[in-house]
Amino acid sequence: MLLSLLALASGAPLAAAEVFNLANLNWTLHNQKGDISVPAHVPSHVHLDLKDANVITEPLLGANVTDYTQRWIVYEEWTYQADISSFIEQRSQGGKSGKTLLVFYGIDTVATITLAGHPVAWVNNQFQEYVYDVTDLLEDPAGNDTTLTVAFQSPFLYGQNVSRIRGVEPEIAPTFIWPDVRHLVRKASSDFGWDWGPGFVPVGIFKPAYLVTLSDETGNDASESDPASHPLFVAQSGGLFIEETSLEVSKVGQNPNVRPDQTADWQVNVTLAVRSTRGDDNPSLTVSVPELNINSGLLTLPPIPADTSAPTFVTASFSIPEGIPERWYPRSHGTPKLYNFSITLSVGGLPPASFTTRSGFRTAYLAQVPYTQEEVEEHGITPGDKWHFEINGKPIYAKGSNLIPFDAFYPRTTAEKVRWIMESALASGQNMVRIWGGAMYQPSDAVTGGYDFYSLCDELGILVWSELAFSDATYPVNDFFLETYEREVRQNVRRVKRHPSNVQWAGGNEIEPYLIIFNHTSGMWVPPKKFDNFYFLFEHFLHDIVLQEQSSVAYTACSTTKGVLSFEPYKLRMTNVEEGHIYGNDELYDYDSSRAFNYSTYPKARFVNEFGYHSMPSFYSWEEVLESPEDFSFNSTIVASRDHHSPPSGLLWPSFFAAQGQMELTLAVNRWLPTPSGPADSNHTFAQWCYSTQIFQALHLNSEIAFYRRGSGRGERNLGALMWMLNDVWQGATWSSIEYSGRWKVAHYALANIFAPVIAYPYWVPETESLEISVTSDLWAPADGAVELTWYDWSGQQLDVSQHAFSVGELNSTAVYAEEGLAYILPAGANASDVWAHLTLTAQSDGQTYTHEHSFVPVSLADANLVDPKVQLTHGENYTFTLSAQGGVSPWTWVDHPAGTVGYFVDAASGAPLNGFYLIPGYNRTIQFVQSAGLSTVAQPAPEDFVVRTLWDNTHSLDVSDWPAVAVEFSSQHADPFYSGWF
């Protein structure tokens, strides 16, 4: 890559075969009006280039992100342009015998491409890659035009135009911000706004792009060179361009709807999309796995023509005996073993094209068949269908979260941030992420995608539930749309299928329940044709495409589904359910916080793929975007406008719908925690509100996850819980457990606790005063141990201790304690408001020791008679901190790391994530801050800038003399944020 840059700089002829990165051109960006022209970049988005040129401020800053002050950008038409005269001149000096390809790995979204004055193409799909043979255009520039131009239409205006075309039927697509178009533009739906983020509707050349020159010179000099690190770079050795590469490792004869035969041999299938300057009737392919000393030998291929105008697809396969390779496992259950596969394509007369890619050996099966009568009777399972994942022949409990885009602007997503988010998921005990279908297909390498998501998941051992880009809408099914859907889906499925981390493709997000709810629950009526179109698109069209392209993972029509009636033909169950049976999977959102811990409101489901509650980001995250002192309050206009629950449902700003979400947060804190009030410093009050909403979110997630996990040993046989959601795209009230900067919320530490392999949890039903303590294990071996139940009063005095032995089977749960009546549960003579219990578990399984701790409070913490904990923080070396309670017990003790830092706290002894814990007098906690050097803007924070928060501080004064100097005066409205100036 460096050689091509040096060649242009020096004026030397380009090599006969070369890959030139378009990022190295000098780009400009201008609008159609002609009043803005600024330097630009590729990859980029218009907003980012305008920001860099100081035309606008940071889009996430202040009112910008409310879609209010920068909406004018969406209505404009923008053009990226670069001069390529040096490329044309040096290419001609190098001879005209070769070919030149223009390669875009992502254009967002509707654009006209022009090269050297010649039209190249009009494109309209963000999710596709585009390759064009531009040889003739470069040899004969029109009117001496030596520019490459990509002219973008407004996606919003384009969508409006499409909606007016005769024959385009109205669809059902609720508006989040920008109305009526998101289902008509093949662009991330969330770019038009969602309930967790803004709607910038960005445009630009958002992924890497290249000019590739191919040589038709013969020679075999490259045959002894090392394989290229990426298929794109084989073009540097001759006349072959590998446009697409797919590798699939499966069992011989594997069917995605049938449990794989674990004794069968492995089949390695390689498919290449090739453009070649020379033809060959007898090309060949070899595949080797050096670590296993395996070579496929010469694999024959169908003829490859001399054609660079379109790709030729060739496929070959060979088998590897079972037992030779080590298997890939999710990190929660083994080692995610990966192997290098070296692939060499030989086309007569051209140097062999060789490259290396990585994959692993594993089977993934989504069990959706009925439980047998024997299973129902022997194990007490509620009749119905299974819905769980099996890896390498064994059921697994999927513990994880849902992933949204890493940034509102894809081009500024960095590999370092992606790694941090995914390593944070792993650190919190997660073994699966679901790529939500309302946004982007995640990339599988940095060369074409800017960063590499799937390979990172392969490496870390995180399972991925992938989804096609359809969400919460009905979609048109005319030929124009079907053609673009097909190309998009085929490209992405082929690209992803080499990754062992990927374990299924879902057709889209929530569309099945969305139609059922609209038709049967909401009182609305969905025309039968919309159901017919849904069945056609998701039962047939997309189903067939996905399964034609891969056979090693399942296709499901929708993220949330009642499952299937049959696989062949593929037919959804929908409302064809039998009373008392359980089918498919489920989700839950309930914002009545009075029912937050009422287990009767939780679904008894085989798998729950979405659930959660929103919370505020930390005070330090708000500091990143709030511009005025008056903004630093819970219901300031800017803060409240970033609460999109419910979403604005249009372009009105500020949205009065935000009051609903603000009320939900306020009532949740008022009901379950001491309500922040008190100190005269409003920075402190605002910070305590943010902290308190995060505690409620953590409590709620703990309760739901524990309930679902306990279901592994109950009639529902629940084997999956994916919380909503992992990450954030802005600083606002959202469902994330990790804030936009990478800072962990309280909930993420709570996930690390409740996703532990073996847990003890107190299930409390206040209506009947019944307490059950159950142990749940997701291990593949039985576990034996004991739970110690210790009662304390809030001053820290120990009142009672009891031991409860247990033995729990693999992937199962068991009750170790059950009692009814507070008189029998509480220590003798104790009042429920004065006491709490600490649960500690120690278990042995397969030679390993597992520990866990949790707490039980028999009343709302809002009603608990807390005692001033008088928490002291002592600084040690290497960012270790020892916390001690000198007064009473401090529930949910929290240490905030300073502004500008990204990292998380771990127990100094075990290394396990630890924050937001119960601090008991006489039992100190020592934690250490593990910092991300790459994401932190403050490299060496001062230890004294780390802040301790407690619930006691919600209602009592605190010394805030060291707080950041944002001078906001306290007023009485802060005592109850719902009744603040928002109205």
Side-chain angles (χ1 to χ4, degrees):
M1 196 66 68
L2 179 61
L3 291 177
S4 61
L5 181 58
L6 294 175
L8 281 185
S10 65
L14 283 172
E18 190 57 85
V19 176
F20 177 74
N21 193 332
L22 296 189
N24 295 326
L25 295 175
N26 293 319
W27 290 89
T28 59
L29 169 69
H30 63 266
N31 63 345
Q32 188 179 42
K33 294 178 183 177
D35 58 346
I36 296 176
S37 181
V38 298
H41 306 87
V42 168
S44 192
H45 271 140
V46 166
H47 286 76
L48 303 181
D49 288 321
L50 294 178
K51 177 184 73 71
D52 290 345
N54 295 317
V55 175
I56 63 172
T57 56
E58 162 59 46
L60 292 178
L61 192 64
N64 296 344
V65 80
T66 63
D67 320 305
Y68 182 65
T69 60
Q70 295 182 355
R71 283 182 183 166
W72 61 272
I73 300 171
V74 177
Y75 294 101
E76 291 270 6
E77 295 192 351
W78 299 92
T79 298
Y80 280 86
Q81 191 169 65
D83 181 74
I84 59 167
S85 56
S86 296
F87 182 89
I88 294 174
E89 179 181 350
Q90 291 160 47
R91 178 187 176 279
S92 64
Q93 292 175 14
K96 297 185 178 181
S97 60
K99 299 289 186 177
T100 300
L101 304 177
L102 178 60
V103 182
F104 291 99
Y105 286 106
I107 294 178
D108 185 8
T109 293
V110 186
T112 299
I113 305 166
T114 305
L115 181 67
H118 299 287
V120 176
W122 175 80
V123 298
N124 68 336
N125 191 316
Q126 181 185 14
F127 311 125
Q128 292 182 17
E129 63 181 58
Y130 300 99
V131 180
Y132 307 102
D133 186 338
V134 294
T135 307
D136 295 341
L137 308 184
L138 291 171
E139 290 178 357
D140 185 24
N144 296 318
D145 189 320
T146 58
T147 61
L148 170 59
T149 301
V150 183
F152 288 90
Q153 297 174 244
S154 162
F156 176 64
L157 298 181
Y158 166 78
Q160 287 188 320
N161 290 337
V162 170
S163 70
R164 300 185 186 108
I165 295 175
R166 186 174 182 178
V168 175
E169 301 174 355
E171 302 292 341
I172 305 171
T175 292
F176 290 85
I177 297 177
W178 294 88
D180 305 328
V181 301
R182 63 180 177 84
H183 57 296
L184 299 174
V185 187
R186 292 313 293 157
K187 175 176 175 59
S189 289
S190 58
D191 282 353
F192 296 96
W194 215 262
D195 58 3
W196 42 256
F200 288 117
V201 199
V203 299
I205 306 169
F206 78 112
K207 285 186 177 181
Y210 302 88
L211 277 166
V212 178
T213 59
L214 302 176
S215 169
D216 62 358
E217 297 176 1
T218 61
N220 294 304
D221 293 342
S223 61
E224 297 180 1
S225 62
D226 292 333
S229 60
H230 188 279
L232 173 65
F233 299 136
V234 304
Q236 294 174 317
S237 64
L240 289 170
F241 174 70
I242 299 179
E243 184 169 329
E244 293 185 55
T245 303
S246 63
L247 182 149
E248 184 172 27
V249 179
S250 60
K251 287 293 188 175
V252 172
Q254 186 171 338
N255 179 321
N257 299 320
V258 178
R259 181 175 281 107
D261 179 359
Q262 299 301 318
T263 66
D265 289 342
W266 297 97
Q267 178 168 286
V268 178
N269 182 287
V270 177
T271 298
L272 305 178
V274 182
R275 300 188 189 220
S276 177
T277 59
R278 287 182 174 266
D280 189 347
D281 290 335
N282 298 291
S284 62
L285 188 76
T286 59
V287 183
S288 65
V289 187
E291 188 176 343
L292 297 175
N293 197 28
I294 285 176
N295 190 295
S296 67
L298 211 60
L299 303 174
T300 59
L301 299 174
I304 294 177
D307 185 6
T308 55
S309 64
T312 298
F313 285 84
V314 293
T315 298
S317 62
F318 73 104
S319 62
I320 296 176
E322 161 60 27
I324 291 181
E326 294 180 39
R327 296 205 181 195
W328 183 97
Y329 284 91
R331 186 78 65 177
S332 59
H333 287 76
T335 300
K337 177 64 178 177
L338 295 168
Y339 292 94
N340 287 328
F341 288 73
S342 295
I343 300 170
T344 301
L345 173 64
S346 298
V347 176
L350 292 174
S354 183
F355 65 93
T356 296
T357 191
R358 284 171 72 76
S359 189
F361 295 81
R362 65 92 183 91
T363 64
Y365 172 60
L366 177 55
Q368 301 179 78
V369 298
Y371 276 103
T372 66
Q373 187 62 31
E374 181 182 2
E375 289 172 316
V376 169
E377 293 175 356
E378 289 190 10
H379 304 291
I381 296 175
T382 304
D385 293 347
K386 301 176 181 179
W387 211 100
H388 65 259
F389 292 93
E390 297 181 7
I391 304 300
N392 294 323
K394 302 190 72 171
I396 191 170
Y397 198 99
K399 302 179 296 185
S401 58
N402 288 262
L403 184 79
I404 64 169
F406 293 99
D407 200 288
F409 301 101
Y410 181 102
R412 70 175 177 188
T413 301
T414 65
E416 193 155 27
K417 182 171 185 178
V418 174
R419 176 172 285 274
W420 176 259
I421 297 295
M422 299 314 297
E423 287 183 342
S424 295
L426 188 68
S428 68
Q430 299 184 45
N431 60 19
M432 177 178 281
V433 293
R434 171 184 165 231
I435 302 175
W436 175 71
M440 287 294 303
Y441 298 89
Q442 286 295 328
S444 51
D445 65 74
V447 172
T448 65
Y451 63 92
D452 190 343
F453 174 80
Y454 280 97
S455 297
L456 178 60
C457 292
D458 293 343
E459 170 200 332
L460 295 178
I462 298 175
L463 302 171
V464 181
W465 163 333
S466 297
E467 222 154 90
L468 306 182
F470 299 87
S471 181
D472 293 291
T474 60
Y475 285 82
V477 292
N478 61 43
D479 290 344
F480 174 80
F481 282 98
L482 293 179
E483 181 180 357
T484 194
Y485 298 160
E486 178 172 2
R487 179 179 168 86
E488 161 197 324
V489 172
R490 289 193 187 280
Q491 284 186 351
N492 283 285
V493 173
R494 287 194 291 254
R495 174 178 60 81
V496 169
K497 70 181 182 180
R498 73 176 171 90
H499 295 282
S501 56
N502 187 53
V503 294
Q504 86 145 331
W505 279 102
N509 170 65
E510 293 181 324
I511 302 172
E512 176 186 321
Y514 165 81
L515 283 175
I516 293 173
I517 290 170
F518 263 66
N519 203 47
H520 297 282
T521 306
S522 67
M524 299 180 64
W525 178 73
V526 177
K529 187 173 182 180
K530 294 304 173 189
F531 278 96
D532 292 342
N533 290 349
F534 167 76
Y535 293 137
F536 168 75
L537 184 58
F538 293 98
E539 275 189 345
H540 303 292
F541 187 78
L542 297 174
H543 166 272
D544 293 351
I545 291 171
V546 171
L547 296 191
Q548 286 165 12
E549 293 296 342
Q550 55 87 54
S551 63
S552 59
V553 301
Y555 167 89
T556 54
C558 186
S559 59
T560 304
T561 178
K562 288 297 182 184
V564 298
L565 285 172
S566 65
F567 290 107
E568 295 181 6
Y570 184 75
K571 186 167 182 58
L572 295 173
R573 180 175 295 279
M574 300 294 279
T575 56
N576 295 298
V577 298
E578 185 175 344
E579 185 76 22
H581 286 52
I582 298 176
Y583 303 99
N585 58 29
D586 214 335
E587 61 180 70
L588 174 67
Y589 292 103
D590 188 345
Y591 298 100
D592 181 352
S593 56
S594 68
R595 306 187 304 197
F597 310 107
N598 186 334
Y599 305 124
S600 69
T601 67
Y602 298 171
K604 290 185 177 180
R606 308 292 193 207
F607 195 111
V608 186
N609 64 4
E610 285 192 35
F611 57 92
Y613 208 95
H614 50 314
S615 69
M616 286 284 179
S618 67
F619 179 90
Y620 294 123
S621 284
W622 283 117
E623 275 194 313
E624 297 164 6
V625 293
L626 298 183
E627 300 179 277
S628 302
E630 59 267 23
D631 292 338
F632 285 80
S633 70
F634 191 88
N635 270 315
S636 69
T637 298
I638 299 300
V639 169
S641 67
R642 291 174 183 240
D643 188 335
H644 280 191
H645 191 258
S646 291
S649 300
L651 296 173
L652 178 67
W653 188 88
S655 167
F656 60 85
F657 289 115
Q660 176 184 338
Q662 296 295 93
M663 178 178 66
E664 291 163 352
L665 293 175
T666 301
L667 292 177
V669 171
N670 286 342
R671 284 171 171 144
W672 298 106
L673 300 168
T675 299
S677 56
D681 182 277
S682 62
N683 275 2
H684 169 68
T685 304
F686 181 39
Q688 290 298 120
W689 267 106
C690 295
Y691 158 67
S692 298
T693 65
Q694 290 191 18
I695 292 176
F696 175 79
Q697 179 192 34
L699 283 165
H700 187 45
L701 287 173
N702 264 349
S703 179
E704 281 202 62
I705 292 170
F707 178 84
Y708 301 140
R709 289 191 65 186
R710 182 179 64 165
S712 65
R714 297 201 164 196
E716 59 264 36
R717 186 56 172 163
N718 180 289
L719 292 179
L722 307 182
M723 57 79 67
W724 185 268
M725 59 195 195
L726 177 60
N727 58 314
D728 240 330
V729 297
W730 69 343
Q731 301 86 345
T734 76
W735 292 253
S736 76
S737 64
I738 301 177
E739 299 176 17
Y740 175 67
S741 67
R743 180 185 291 264
W744 289 20
K745 288 183 178 179
V746 177
H748 207 73
Y749 291 96
L751 293 179
N753 175 279
I754 207 65
F755 277 152
V758 187
I759 64 169
Y761 190 85
Y763 299 87
W764 169 241
V765 181
E767 293 80 6
T768 59
E769 293 188 351
S770 62
L771 174 65
E772 175 190 299
I773 298 174
S774 281
V775 171
T776 300
S777 171
D778 59 33
L779 300 174
W780 279 346
D784 300 290
V787 176
E788 183 174 271
L789 176 63
T790 306
W791 284 95
Y792 295 91
D793 63 21
W794 288 110
S795 69
Q797 180 180 349
Q798 183 175 305
L799 304 176
D800 187 49
V801 181
S802 58
Q803 297 278 344
H804 307 273
F806 68 85
S807 180
V808 61
E810 61 181 272
L811 210 59
N812 216 318
S813 66
T814 186
V816 300
Y817 172 94
E819 189 61 85
E820 286 192 10
L822 283 173
Y824 302 100
I825 295 171
L826 303 182
N831 184 291
S833 298
D834 295 328
V835 296
W836 68 284
H838 188 219
L839 285 67
T840 55
L841 172 148
T842 302
Q844 300 289 328
S845 179
D846 205 18
Q848 295 191 49
T849 300
Y850 298 88
T851 60
H852 182 253
E853 63 176 291
H854 213 84
S855 59
F856 167 59
V857 182
V859 298
S860 163
L861 280 168
D863 300 323
N865 294 321
L866 300 181
V867 175
D868 184 355
K870 299 179 182 177
V871 175
Q872 291 188 1
L873 180 71
T874 304
H875 311 146
E877 295 182 350
N878 300 319
Y879 293 105
T880 56
F881 302 89
T882 298
L883 291 95
S884 60
Q886 302 298 311
V889 175
S890 175
W892 294 96
T893 307
W894 181 252
V895 181
D896 245 344
H897 50 89
T901 62
V902 175
Y904 64 93
F905 294 94
V906 298
D907 181 89
S910 69
L914 182 63
N915 203 354
F917 45 79
Y918 275 57
L919 188 62
I920 306 170
Y923 297 91
N924 297 347
R925 300 269 196 174
T926 299
I927 59 177
Q928 183 173 22
F929 183 58
V930 179
Q931 186 172 7
S932 168
L935 297 184
S936 297
T937 57
V938 176
Q940 295 180 320
E944 55 269 22
D945 289 340
F946 287 72
V947 175
V948 177
R949 304 193 194 285
T950 71
L951 286 176
W952 179 262
D953 300 330
N954 279 4
T955 53
H956 296 78
S957 297
L958 179 73
D959 181 6
V960 294
S961 60
D962 293 332
W963 270 70
V966 180
V968 184
E969 295 299 323
F970 174 80
S971 66
S972 60
Q973 72 178 21
H974 290 83
D976 190 343
F978 182 58
Y979 295 105
S980 77
W982 174 245
F983 293 98

